[in-house]
């Protein structure tokens, strides 16, 4: 027999609401929503001392990992050129040491940039020619590469996959589903992600937990937990009622009256009261954040003294095709993250998770200019953010990592490549054990004449069969964030399918 829930007293409602960062006026009008929120019991991780932040940089559309991090030993390079239609008119890049030439963009960019991992696994490696900043961060041991990561139900072999006897993640190769699987381990429609569920464990450590999970790019299931909910903001700051000047129809009075209407219920129905409470909470959050957030030019994250509307040169990258200096939307989002981190003490934050999104990575065609442009944005943004966090003195406490729907096929389709599975990712920050590759580097095979490839690491079209699970990637990040082993298993139940030695990839300090 199910026991009824004990009613919450007003004092208990206010106590639990304070954990969620809600003021007494807002709580007084919460009604049914207030009871739902109050029922969420606070949870604390084993270690929430100091401050730490995870920044997920999601490459939406599926990044071509084969042209991001490349094996350049002779056997690998021969297989790469054969699959990618070498000669620089397809999607193959130029060999290391090739001088910049004329013709296609890849010819004009010159050769791929060699890198020297601490453990090269018997291979020689390089990165895309526009990733000079990434190469330098790797060399200075501030950035690590995690090889061939992807969603996995458990250990898997190519033979079992081909035979159909191995369990596999749902709806492979589907954009929406694989974005959701990466973020939540379930297909499209999932409501809880592993970033948000990690945030659940540390909510009570934050003075205003409404700013625990922060999105710079709209809704993202990765940020949502049982209690944690994403707070959405723009690269400019808090979303507010009215225009950029803080007015509605040019009037502060109209804005004030509109806000009063939004925060008032039209009748005493539950729906009206809850809608009014949510609106009031949103407006309160905007007021709190706007007061706490330092200006875009007020710190090392921006250039001071700019004229209104003038683009900040710190947030501009060089377009590899045109050579023009262009505003970088990724750096703009990361500037907002830096400003939020700068406000951590004012807001009473001990732990935060941020989601930054970059669209356009679905390079079925015109890959040469599109992929180069996106990687140039990523390269500039990572270098900008590392420089900024170091100048702020917080680089040891902020870890940035990439994620994407999936990798892409080894085989080109003329001027692009198609949906794959596993892919390589970057992790950056002062706590990163950089300058190395974590996880097994894939072997490049040759076409078998039936659409497949001879390597045990490659499926049809040369799509990578992942050898590192997203759970292991997430667990390594979560352990640094402060979660205990038991908490990690609760957030990442699929972790139990892997040996203990496979649950910590080792790319972060304790």
């Amino acid at each position: 027999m199910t026991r009824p829930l004990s009613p919450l007293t007003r004092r208990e409602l206010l106590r639990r609401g304070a954990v969620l960062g809600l003021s007494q006026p807002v709580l007084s009008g919460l009604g049914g929503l207030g009871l739902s929120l109050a029922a969420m019991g606070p949870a604390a991780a084993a270690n929430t001392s100091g401050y730490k932040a995870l920044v997920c940089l999601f490459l939406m559309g599926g990044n071509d990992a084969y042209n991001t991090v490349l094996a350049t030993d002779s056997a690998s390079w021969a297989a790469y050129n054969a699959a990618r239609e070498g000669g620089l008119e397809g999607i193959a890049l130029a060999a290391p040491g090739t001088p910049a030439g004329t013709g296609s963009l890849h010819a004009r960019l010159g050769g791929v940039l060699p890198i020297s991992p601490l453990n090269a696994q018997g291979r020689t490696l390089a990165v895309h020619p526009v990733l000079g900043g990434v190469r330098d961060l790797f060399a200075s041991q501030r950035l690590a590469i995690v090889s061939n990561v992807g969603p996995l139900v458990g250990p898997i072999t190519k033979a079992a996959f081909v035979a159909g006897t191995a369990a596999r993640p749902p709806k492979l190769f589907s954009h929406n589903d694989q974005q959701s699987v990466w973020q939540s381990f379930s297909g499209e429609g999932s409501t809880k992600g592993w970033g948000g569920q990690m945030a659940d464990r540390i909510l009570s450590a934050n003075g205003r937990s409404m700013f625990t999970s922060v999105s710079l790019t709209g809704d993202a299931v990765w940020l949502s937990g049982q209690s944690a909910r994403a707070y959405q903001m723009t690269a400019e700051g808090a979303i507010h009622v009215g225009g950029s000047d803080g007015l509605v129809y040019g009037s502060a009075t109209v804005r004030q009256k509109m806000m009063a209407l939004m925060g008032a219920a039209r009748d005493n129905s539950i729906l009206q009261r809850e809608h009014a409470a949510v609106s009031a909470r949103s407006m309160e959050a905007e007021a709190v954040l706007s007061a706490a957030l330092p200006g875009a030019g007020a710190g090392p994250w921006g250039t001071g003294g700019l004229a209104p509307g003038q683009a900040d040169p710190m947030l501009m990258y060089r377009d590899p095709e045109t050579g023009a200096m262009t505003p970088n939307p990724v750096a703009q989002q990361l500037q907002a993250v830096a400003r939020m981190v700068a406000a951590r003490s004012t807001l009473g934050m001990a732990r935060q998770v941020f989601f930054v999104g970059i669209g356009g990575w679905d390079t079925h065609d015109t890959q040469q200019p599109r992929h180069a442009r996106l990687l140039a944005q990523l390269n500039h943004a990572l270098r900008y953010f590392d420089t900024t966090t170091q100048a702020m003195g917080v680089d040891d406490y902020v870890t940035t990592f990439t994620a994407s729907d999936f990798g892409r096929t080894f085989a080109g389709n003329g001027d692009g490549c198609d949906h794959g599975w596993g892919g390589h990712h970057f992790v950056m920050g002062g706590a990163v054990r950089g300058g190395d590759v974590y996880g097994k580097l894939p072997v490049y095979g040759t076409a078998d004449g039936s659409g497949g490839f001879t390597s045990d690491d490659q499926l049809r079209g040369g799509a990578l069969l992942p050898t590192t699970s997203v759970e292991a990637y997430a667990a390594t990040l979560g352990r640094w964030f402060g979660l205990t082993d038991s908490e990690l298993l609760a957030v990442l139940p699929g972790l139990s399918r892997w040996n203990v030695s496979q649950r910590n990839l080792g790319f972060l300090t304790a």
Side-chain angles (χ1 to χ4, degrees):
M1 179 177 178
T2 303
R3 296 174 59 185
L5 293 174
S6 301
L8 290 171
T9 65
R10 185 174 184 277
R11 177 176 295 177
E12 180 66 6
L13 172 62
L14 292 173
R15 185 189 71 79
R16 296 192 184 186
V19 172
L20 292 168
L22 302 178
S23 67
Q24 183 168 333
V26 172
L27 284 163
S28 299
L30 277 174
L33 178 62
L35 296 176
S36 299
L37 291 172
M40 300 174 181
N47 181 9
T48 55
S49 59
Y51 174 83
K52 288 184 178 180
L54 287 173
V55 183
C56 176
L57 224 167
F58 206 95
L59 316 181
M60 298 175 177
N63 176 41
D64 177 21
Y66 282 116
N67 268 16
T68 304
V69 178
L70 307 89
T72 58
D73 50 276
S74 58
S76 297
W77 196 255
Y80 168 83
N81 269 310
R84 301 222 135 185
E85 304 166 43
L88 306 181
E89 296 305 322
I91 59 171
L93 295 162
T98 304
T102 59
S104 72
L105 176 61
H106 282 180
R108 286 183 276 131
L109 290 174
V112 294
L113 306 176
I115 58 173
S116 300
L118 297 172
N119 174 21
Q121 302 179 30
R123 314 285 285 282
T124 56
L125 301 174
V127 294
H128 193 287
V130 303
L131 292 177
V134 166
R135 174 202 56 193
D136 295 344
L137 287 165
F138 187 84
S140 61
Q141 299 187 11
R142 299 191 61 79
L143 179 142
I145 295 168
V146 186
S147 178
N148 197 9
V149 187
L152 288 168
V153 176
I156 189 172
T157 64
K158 179 177 178 177
F161 180 87
V162 172
T165 58
R168 60 185 72 182
K171 299 183 179 179
L172 284 172
F173 316 116
S174 161
H175 284 294
N176 291 350
D177 288 290
Q178 291 311 298
Q179 287 183 14
S180 182
V181 168
W182 250 94
Q183 296 179 44
S184 70
F185 306 112
S186 297
E188 187 177 14
S190 180
T191 58
K192 290 187 289 186
W194 53 269
Q197 292 183 77
M198 288 181 182
D200 282 340
R201 270 70 188 173
I202 52 81
L203 276 180
S204 62
N206 287 338
R208 289 194 176 268
S209 62
M210 67 179 75
F211 302 122
T212 300
S213 296
V214 181
S215 174
L216 278 299
T217 184
D219 193 27
V221 69
W222 182 74
L223 291 169
S224 296
Q226 181 65 37
S227 303
R229 291 292 179 267
Y231 178 83
Q232 295 184 27
M233 60 183 289
T234 70
E236 289 73 34
I239 298 172
H240 56 267
V241 177
S244 58
D245 57 2
L247 306 177
V248 175
Y249 299 124
S251 169
T253 301
V254 172
R255 180 176 184 269
Q256 291 169 357
K257 290 187 177 297
M258 182 176 286
M259 291 172 65
L261 286 171
M262 292 171 62
R266 296 182 182 180
D267 54 47
N268 200 38
S269 67
I270 292 176
L271 181 61
Q272 284 289 328
R273 285 186 284 123
E274 292 187 353
H275 178 270
V278 169
S279 296
R281 180 172 180 257
S282 176
M283 289 183 287
E284 181 190 22
E286 183 273 326
V288 170
L289 184 57
S290 294
L293 203 64
W301 49 81
T303 303
L306 296 176
Q310 182 181 355
D312 190 333
M314 291 179 63
L315 305 180
M316 301 181 78
Y317 80 106
R318 188 175 299 280
D319 187 304
E321 186 174 28
T322 67
M325 295 303 295
T326 307
N328 185 350
V330 191
Q332 291 169 350
Q333 292 181 62
L334 288 174
Q335 183 191 63
V337 173
R339 293 166 63 199
M340 280 287 282
V341 172
R344 65 194 182 280
S345 297
T346 303
L347 296 172
M349 309 305 293
R351 293 289 187 277
Q352 288 180 287
V353 291
F354 296 93
F355 190 89
V356 172
I358 321 168
W361 298 82
D362 193 20
T363 51
H364 288 287
D365 50 30
T366 59
Q367 176 164 320
Q368 283 201 29
R370 291 173 60 197
H371 196 231
R373 186 178 303 115
L374 288 164
L375 286 178
Q377 291 177 8
L378 177 64
N379 178 74
H380 167 260
L382 289 174
R383 184 166 49 185
Y384 158 79
F385 196 54
D386 181 68
T387 300
T388 297
T389 54
Q390 285 194 70
M392 293 170 64
V394 298
D395 55 302
D396 286 346
Y397 318 121
V398 179
T399 295
T400 304
F401 65 96
T402 63
S404 190
D405 318 17
F406 35 64
R408 305 193 76 82
T409 55
F410 194 41
N413 62 17
D415 64 347
C417 51
D418 300 319
H419 297 182
W421 190 352
H424 311 313
H425 291 283
F426 300 137
V427 187
M428 183 188 75
V432 174
R433 294 188 173 108
D436 211 351
V437 176
Y438 295 83
K440 177 181 176 291
L441 286 165
V443 173
Y444 298 173
T446 55
D448 62 11
S450 301
F453 280 76
T454 56
S455 169
D456 286 341
D457 295 324
Q458 293 175 307
L459 302 172
R460 188 169 183 83
L464 284 176
L465 179 65
T467 49
T468 298
S469 68
V470 175
E471 280 95 344
Y473 191 46
T476 307
L477 294 162
R479 186 172 288 104
W480 172 82
F481 198 55
L483 274 68
T484 63
D485 289 344
S486 61
E487 287 171 326
L488 288 171
L489 284 168
V491 172
L492 310 165
L495 202 60
S496 63
R497 303 187 186 100
W498 302 90
N499 295 331
V500 173
S501 62
Q502 296 173 300
R503 299 177 190 179
N504 186 353
L505 302 179
F507 56 75
L508 281 165
T509 59

